[in-house]
Amino acid sequence: MEKQNSLSTDFLPTGVPGLDAVLTGGLTKDRLYLVEGEPGTGKTTLALQFLNEGVRNGEATLYITLAETKVELRSVAQSHGWTMDGIHIEEIIPDEKALDPDQQYTIFHPSEIELGNTTQRILGAIDRYQPRRVVLDSLSELQLLAESPLRYRRQVLALKQYLSSRNCTTIFLDDRTALSTDLQVRSVAHGVMTLELADQTYGAERRRLRVVKYRGVAFRGGSHDYKIIKGGLYVYPRLVAAATRESSSRKQLSSGLPSLDALLGGGLEEGMSTLLSGPSGTGKSSLAAQFVHAATQRGEKCAMFLFEEARNNMLNRCANLGFNLSGAIDTGLLSVQQIDPAELSPGEFASAVMQEVERGARIVVIDSLNGYLNAVPDERFLIIHLHELLTYLGQRGVVSLLVGVQSGVMGPGMTSAVDASYLADNIIMLRYFEAEGEVRQAISVFKKRGSTHERTLRRFEIGPTGLHVGPVLKDFHGVLTGVPTYHGPAAIQPPAL
């Protein structure tokens, strides 16, 4: 035991993207870890990533399998584009002779013979290969062989001491299929990770990873989304905005339209979230594209996430308004990602946004807020996820634009899907109204925290030359109702707006 690593800060990388961030460094060397989860949650895949990382670092590795065959393991590795080169496999499973009645035990219980034989083969493989990373798959087999909780616990304790004394960092896999689901190994292991699979009413299932225990390490608690793709598990650490808090001076970003900047009191402040609210078709997405176009013209990077409109349709619509967003994409100033709502998890989306911020994005557009909320209808705390994401963006000085579609088309009864005051620092309202037998649009700033702003209602138009913010609608009353009355000079007809 004198050789065992005594430092709690001497870590091994897991080889699983995002998992080391959750563990705040990786796995402490020479310790025993438990990875538990029902069949299909990705335990074997995680274990193979752990061993492949050891192979890349020139370490001897060993996979001890009590259930799957070598062929099955190699098939799993092949599906992810891996080879098993450098990973020693010790297959300890009953062969077909166990089906022969003449081979059945009659005097002794099978556990009294098979448990000892299994243990000896495990110890023999460790002595033979001298591994630094070991995976034992799975504990359910040992638990069934041990029969009693006392024998099972002593067996696990003995294996733990043996492996630690030989400088092995070990992962035990538990598929929870044994008759007893006690917490014996949890109390023995240095760290415990649980993989969970949750069915959704519609769309792909949700996968979550949770670190239940990690002695001596301040890991990132809570549930973390993960997915299994070609290449293995990919973990999306839960976003904690407080961990990225920083202070910096904030400047205003221009929309590129002097009249709109005047309405906004100079522009939008860095680090502020702005809700573009209004009924469908009033120009919310075009207004967001205006800010993006102006930023890319200044050489600033931006990112747009589309939940409803197709990427190609958005680019063609913007081209008709004179916004060359395709050119900005070609130069690397703009990233446009079309989100598949049925495949979304909040953690994955937050990770995509954070990657764009790390890339240098100064404006992030989420189009639309309704699409985001509808993408994961079974997620109870989706608004909190979004609030944490917007807080992170604010602390990084990013201007975030949220497109929010209001129900209804005209009149004061239009409602929003969320409490806007909880999410947004600024609110820009777009409205339809009727005048002179024509449906027209109006724009106003309802709320702005960063600076003073105009309290006026202005005419808003979308034309072939782009967006136009017109004069104040000072001769009209009741624009917000949708059917205003004209109160200008009585001797003349109402002016064209």
Side-chain angles (χ1 to χ4, degrees):
M1 289 297 295
E2 290 79 4
K3 295 181 180 179
Q4 184 181 357
N5 165 47
S6 60
L7 298 176
S8 61
T9 55
D10 193 3
F11 296 120
L12 282 179
T14 62
V16 179
L19 182 54
D20 289 348
V22 173
L23 300 172
T24 60
L27 299 179
T28 305
K29 288 184 178 180
D30 305 345
R31 302 293 195 271
L32 170 65
Y33 300 90
L34 173 65
V35 176
E36 57 183 15
E38 296 178 354
T41 51
K43 300 180 300 300
T44 300
T45 303
L46 184 151
L48 290 175
Q49 286 177 269
F50 170 69
L51 295 183
N52 274 309
E53 181 66 19
V55 172
R56 282 191 290 270
N57 294 330
E59 300 167 355
T61 62
L62 174 62
Y63 196 111
I64 302 172
T65 172
L66 306 181
E68 295 186 83
T69 65
K70 293 180 181 180
V71 173
E72 290 172 322
L73 286 174
R74 290 195 173 99
S75 177
V76 172
Q78 186 179 17
S79 69
H80 290 288
W82 307 326
T83 67
M84 297 294 284
D85 296 343
I87 299 177
H88 301 292
I89 303 175
E90 185 69 15
E91 185 181 300
I92 309 176
I93 57 178
D95 57 23
E96 65 272 10
K97 293 180 180 179
L99 300 175
D100 187 352
D102 293 336
Q103 301 293 324
Q104 304 297 320
Y105 301 110
T106 57
I107 298 177
F108 301 101
H109 193 278
S111 65
E112 298 181 30
I113 304 297
E114 294 179 12
L115 180 60
N117 292 340
T118 298
T119 302
Q120 288 303 314
R121 292 186 63 180
I122 291 173
L123 301 183
I126 294 169
D127 286 338
R128 185 163 59 254
Y129 297 115
Q130 298 291 312
R132 289 293 170 264
R133 299 188 186 217
V134 177
V135 170
L136 178 65
D137 182 9
S138 80
L139 284 179
S140 297
E141 306 301 323
L142 280 182
Q143 188 173 3
L144 291 171
L145 286 174
E147 280 196 314
S148 72
L150 175 60
R151 178 181 292 182
Y152 176 56
R153 182 179 178 87
R154 285 184 173 179
Q155 190 75 12
V156 172
L157 275 170
L159 282 173
K160 173 187 176 182
Q161 299 299 331
Y162 184 85
L163 290 161
S164 297
S165 68
R166 283 157 177 75
N167 302 106
C168 295
T169 305
T170 307
I171 291 179
F172 282 1
L173 305 183
D174 186 3
D175 57 15
R176 296 175 174 175
T177 58
L179 300 178
S180 173
T181 55
D182 55 37
L183 305 179
Q184 296 283 350
V185 184
R186 278 194 180 188
S187 65
V188 172
H190 187 75
V192 179
M193 289 179 281
T194 298
L195 304 181
E196 300 172 351
L197 185 64
D199 292 331
Q200 302 294 299
T201 304
Y202 179 80
E205 66 277 353
R206 283 283 306 280
R207 300 178 183 270
R208 298 185 182 94
L209 178 144
R210 187 165 57 92
V211 180
V212 178
K213 163 188 174 182
Y214 196 178
R215 288 177 181 148
V217 176
F219 60 88
R220 187 175 296 187
S223 295
H224 310 273
D225 291 325
Y226 75 94
K227 67 188 301 185
I228 302 176
I229 57 177
K230 184 177 176 61
L233 267 71
Y234 199 108
V235 179
Y236 304 101
R238 182 174 62 86
L239 176 60
V240 180
T244 62
R245 189 166 294 152
E246 60 183 41
S247 299
S248 61
S249 59
R250 304 293 168 86
K251 64 179 182 179
Q252 287 185 323
L253 296 184
S254 170
S255 66
L257 297 177
S259 54
L260 179 57
D261 289 343
L263 184 65
L264 292 168
L268 294 178
E269 284 74 21
E270 292 179 325
M272 294 289 185
S273 58
T274 301
L275 176 65
L276 308 178
S277 182
S280 178
T282 49
K284 301 177 299 299
S285 297
S286 298
L287 186 59
Q290 171 68 51
F291 280 97
V292 170
H293 172 65
T296 56
Q297 291 294 103
R298 297 191 296 266
E300 299 170 351
K301 293 182 178 180
C302 302
M304 302 179 74
F305 297 89
L306 309 180
F307 285 84
E308 298 179 5
E309 188 176 16
R311 183 177 186 268
N312 188 60
N313 291 345
M314 186 276 294
L315 293 175
N316 288 335
R317 175 174 54 78
C318 290
N320 292 333
L321 295 174
F323 304 156
N324 184 22
L325 298 189
S326 296
I329 293 175
D330 294 338
T331 59
L333 289 175
L334 175 61
S335 169
V336 179
Q337 298 187 36
Q338 185 174 339
I339 305 298
D340 185 353
E343 305 299 322
L344 176 79
S345 73
E348 183 178 357
F349 176 67
S351 177
V353 174
M354 292 171 67
Q355 288 178 8
E356 292 300 328
V357 173
E358 294 298 326
R359 191 179 68 87
R362 305 309 304 152
I363 295 180
V364 170
V365 176
I366 300 177
D367 188 1
S368 70
L369 184 59
N370 307 67
Y372 173 78
L373 296 176
N374 291 329
V376 193
D378 295 335
E379 180 60 55
R380 293 174 55 198
F381 303 107
L382 197 58
I383 292 296
I384 298 178
H385 277 283
L386 184 57
H387 183 269
E388 196 77 358
L389 177 60
L390 294 177
T391 302
Y392 162 81
L393 293 173
Q395 290 170 174
R396 298 298 296 267
V398 176
V399 172
S400 51
L401 300 176
L402 311 174
V403 174
V405 181
Q406 290 183 324
S407 60
V409 177
M410 302 181 73
M414 293 187 296
T415 58
S416 178
V418 297
D419 182 2
S421 61
Y422 177 66
L423 289 177
D425 299 304
N426 313 319
I427 300 176
I428 299 177
M429 185 73 74
L430 296 170
R431 288 276 185 148
Y432 286 119
F433 69 98
E434 177 188 349
E436 297 182 320
E438 182 179 80
V439 176
R440 301 175 179 177
Q441 291 138 280
I443 185 172
S444 59
V445 179
F446 269 44
K447 170 187 174 184
K448 193 162 188 287
R449 286 178 176 159
S451 65
T452 58
H453 63 92
E454 286 188 13
R455 310 291 298 183
T456 58
L457 288 165
R458 289 179 174 267
R459 175 74 189 273
F460 181 70
E461 292 181 287
I462 303 175
T465 58
L467 308 184
H468 302 277
V469 177
V472 178
L473 301 172
K474 59 183 179 179
D475 292 333
F476 288 84
H477 176 73
V479 171
L480 297 182
T481 68
V483 186
T485 56
Y486 177 68
H487 291 277
I492 62 173
Q493 294 294 320
L497 298 180

